[in-house]
Amino acid sequence: MSKIRIEGNHKLNGEIYVSGAKNSAVALIPAAILCDEVVKISNVPNISDIDSLEEILTYLNAKIVRDKDTVTIDSSVIENKEIPEELSQKLRASYYFMASLLGKYKHVEMYFPGGCTIGERPIDQTLKAYRALGATVTMEDNRYIVDAKELIGTKIYLDMPSVGATINTMLASVKAKGKTIIENAAKEPEIVNVATFLNTMGAKIKGAGTNIITITGVDYLHKSFHEVIPDRIEAGTYVIIGSLLGEKLTIKNLIPSHIEALTSKLIEAGVNMEIGDDYITVSSSDNYKAVNIKTLPYPGFPTDLQQPIIPFLTKCHGTSTVEETIYENRFQNIYDTNRMGANIIVKNNKIAKIKGVTPLQGKNVTATDLRGGASMLICGLIANGITTIDNVKYILRGYDDICNKLSKVGAKIELI
Ligand code: EPU
């Protein structure tokens, strides 16, 4: 079992290059199987979630070639067979295959997806969309059989702007008959990235990035080349790290508008940063003040940066609050953060009150989930002494080459 070992409190200087977005790439790869020819996707991050998707593609007999950050997928001839539970359980994004296979073959058999245990994570909105498009959904335990004579476009109102349900509905309806309208759609940049990819293959999707998306079905999707957008959560994680330890740390290859909810909070707390077209340069200070944060769907403050910002808040003077509104169980990192010396009280798993400033002391800690793991890693970077993190498989699911990227700018961090 690998661990991450960190010697804390080293200043950081230089440049960190942001990889492609996990939450885009994990949807683009399953979307590729809708293509009737060959697709190439570049800027794909080297993370274990992509390895898991590769396993599923190979299982379906698609041809996949990975060359550095480019993935070529030929799924013109694949087998539409039931994806085994141990594969679908590996990650949340496995259910994008359910949608793509349904869109392509009008029939799919699959198990409930996996993903970090940060809350309930039901898929009712996705299933509602399949039914609205004309499919029948049969459920046996956690196995689903979705079948349709044909899929017919219709109006679908999502009860909440779910990223997964929005992408699944696009994938299932892109080859449906007629027009599908998704109302109360999620607006995350990853949704725009997926819609653009499908459009480059000849799909007719309008409105991605707004709360109404219109998909006019087409019969055939042709070859395409597409690029994954930069990972806004990875970028945000490094900007937070820079605001704690940067002398002059530049985070490159990011889209600043994608992380404005974060940068505006950091600026409110007193962080000094230069925001360029595709970079942010940030340096640390001892003079930050407490801020209040509430997680919301995009463009609000992302739930995926809620845990990574907690160590920053331990360095702010006064009491900060963090309200988590998306997931029921996203404060699992707080137990170890307090063991390291923080003063954080969590009420009803919903609101955390962080009293600062508290120095942190290195400890043996655990990554309870992907972003919780990133949070512990940041705690380790700012703590006195040595921190070791267990269960790092969670961190490696979503952060490309994280130890190397940080070592190169001066952190003492290694994967052991
Ligand atoms: N929800 C439902 N029913 C549904 C779908 C969602 O009740 O059918 C609820 C969920 O329980 C949750 C909320 O709606 O409380 C938001 O869920 P959403 O569908 O938007 O999330 P997701 O698609 O499962 C993606 C990312 C998450 C990220 C969220 C929100 C992927 C693979 N995952 O999840 O990323 O937190 O959107 O932005 O894209 C992460 O990267 O660490 C991560 C968890």
Side-chain angles (χ1 to χ4, degrees):
M1 274 292 222
S2 45
K3 294 179 189 230
I4 288 178
R5 181 182 186 277
I6 304 166
E7 181 188 295
N9 251 329
H10 290 276
K11 288 284 180 193
L12 308 181
N13 265 300
E15 290 176 353
I16 295 183
Y17 193 85
V18 176
S19 299
K22 167 181 95 78
N23 289 345
S24 237
V26 298
L28 292 172
I29 289 174
I33 68 168
L34 280 158
C35 185
D36 299 289
E37 299 175 13
V38 177
V39 295
K40 236 181 209 186
I41 307 169
S42 67
N43 202 30
V44 176
N46 188 10
I47 51 174
S48 64
D49 268 12
I50 300 295
D51 302 338
S52 304
L53 293 176
E54 183 180 355
E55 265 185 82
I56 297 178
L57 275 177
T58 306
Y59 175 81
L60 295 173
N61 284 342
K63 290 186 198 120
I64 171 163
V65 178
R66 279 170 83 176
D67 179 18
K68 296 190 188 117
D69 70 349
T70 301
V71 178
T72 307
I73 301 166
D74 180 354
S75 36
S76 48
V77 185
I78 60 170
E79 246 183 281
N80 181 20
K81 52 185 179 179
E82 180 183 291
I83 297 170
E85 190 168 17
E86 66 265 26
L87 291 184
S88 56
Q89 275 288 306
K90 281 193 175 177
L91 75 172
R92 176 74 170 171
S94 61
Y95 73 165
Y96 293 139
F97 277 110
M98 196 199 263
S100 289
L101 288 169
L102 179 66
K104 189 163 182 163
Y105 298 107
K106 321 298 171 216
H107 180 90
V108 63
E109 295 180 23
M110 225 190 109
Y111 287 87
F112 195 81
C116 288
T117 49
I118 49 181
E120 280 286 321
R121 311 191 79 178
I123 62 167
D124 55 297
Q125 298 304 300
T126 291
L127 300 179
K128 176 172 102 174
Y130 295 162
R131 289 190 183 103
L133 290 166
T136 54
V137 180
T138 316
M139 212 181 126
E140 295 161 357
D141 297 324
N142 56 346
R143 180 170 169 268
Y144 297 86
I145 304 165
V146 189
D147 186 69
K149 266 204 182 74
E150 55 181 357
L151 295 166
I152 299 171
T154 183
K155 196 182 270 191
I156 296 157
Y157 180 88
L158 299 180
D159 293 353
M160 74 285 296
S162 154
V163 171
T166 303
I167 293 178
N168 279 327
T169 308
M170 290 196 301
L171 297 175
S173 63
V174 75
K175 287 185 167 178
K177 282 218 167 88
K179 198 179 269 188
T180 301
I181 300 170
I182 311 174
E183 290 184 336
N184 198 26
K187 296 184 277 197
E188 271 73 358
E190 291 75 21
I191 285 155
V192 180
N193 205 204
V194 174
T196 312
F197 178 46
L198 293 167
N199 282 345
T200 64
M201 295 183 213
K204 290 187 179 155
I205 303 177
K206 284 188 177 157
T210 74
N211 59 0
I212 299 181
I213 299 177
T214 307
I215 304 121
T216 307
V218 296
D219 290 334
Y220 190 85
L221 293 175
H222 56 73
K223 69 179 175 192
S224 155
F225 175 77
H226 197 60
E227 193 174 340
V228 182
I229 53 168
D231 195 312
R232 64 195 166 96
I233 306 302
E234 187 198 10
T237 302
Y238 290 130
V239 171
I240 292 168
I241 291 172
S243 67
L244 289 166
L245 292 163
E247 266 171 359
K248 191 174 179 211
L249 187 69
T250 300
I251 326 302
K252 289 191 94 165
N253 185 41
L254 52 77
I255 300 173
S257 61
H258 287 177
I259 52 168
E260 220 173 323
L262 170 72
T263 49
S264 66
K265 270 296 155 195
L266 293 176
I267 289 167
E268 186 186 327
V271 176
N272 215 329
M273 65 177 89
E274 179 194 331
I275 303 180
D277 286 346
D278 64 350
Y279 71 88
I280 293 179
T281 298
V282 60
S283 50
S284 63
S285 144
D286 289 332
N287 211 10
Y288 295 144
K289 58 173 193 287
V291 287
N292 298 325
I293 288 167
K294 182 175 180 174
T295 63
L296 287 169
Y298 189 84
F301 192 94
T303 171
D304 296 344
L305 284 174
Q306 176 268 102
Q307 292 162 298
I309 204 171
I310 296 280
F312 172 84
L313 299 174
T314 70
K315 294 285 176 207
C316 292
H317 294 267
T319 301
S320 299
T321 60
V322 171
E323 185 178 350
E324 171 61 53
T325 72
I326 310 290
Y327 294 113
E328 304 86 6
N329 196 17
R330 222 175 192 185
F331 285 118
Q332 296 169 85
N333 50 309
I334 299 301
Y335 173 75
D336 273 340
T337 310
N338 278 338
R339 277 183 57 239
M340 292 177 78
N343 181 349
I344 306 173
I345 294 170
V346 179
K347 272 200 184 142
N348 305 326
N349 250 347
K350 231 181 139 28
I351 299 188
K353 277 189 192 290
I354 304 104
K355 235 184 213 167
V357 175
T358 49
L360 301 185
Q361 187 60 44
K363 284 263 182 313
N364 293 340
V365 298
T366 301
T368 53
D369 55 87
L370 165 58
R371 309 300 171 189
S375 183
M376 295 325 301
L377 188 148
I378 302 174
C379 286
L381 289 173
I382 60 173
N384 297 312
I386 305 292
T387 297
T388 48
I389 308 176
D390 283 332
N391 249 351
V392 296
K393 62 172 194 231
Y394 284 117
I395 300 176
L396 304 180
R397 282 183 58 176
Y399 288 91
D400 184 351
D401 207 21
I402 186 162
C403 293
N404 256 326
K405 286 187 185 186
L406 286 166
S407 295
K408 280 187 185 146
V409 293
K412 296 278 176 275
I413 178 169
E414 56 179 342
L415 189 64
I416 50 173

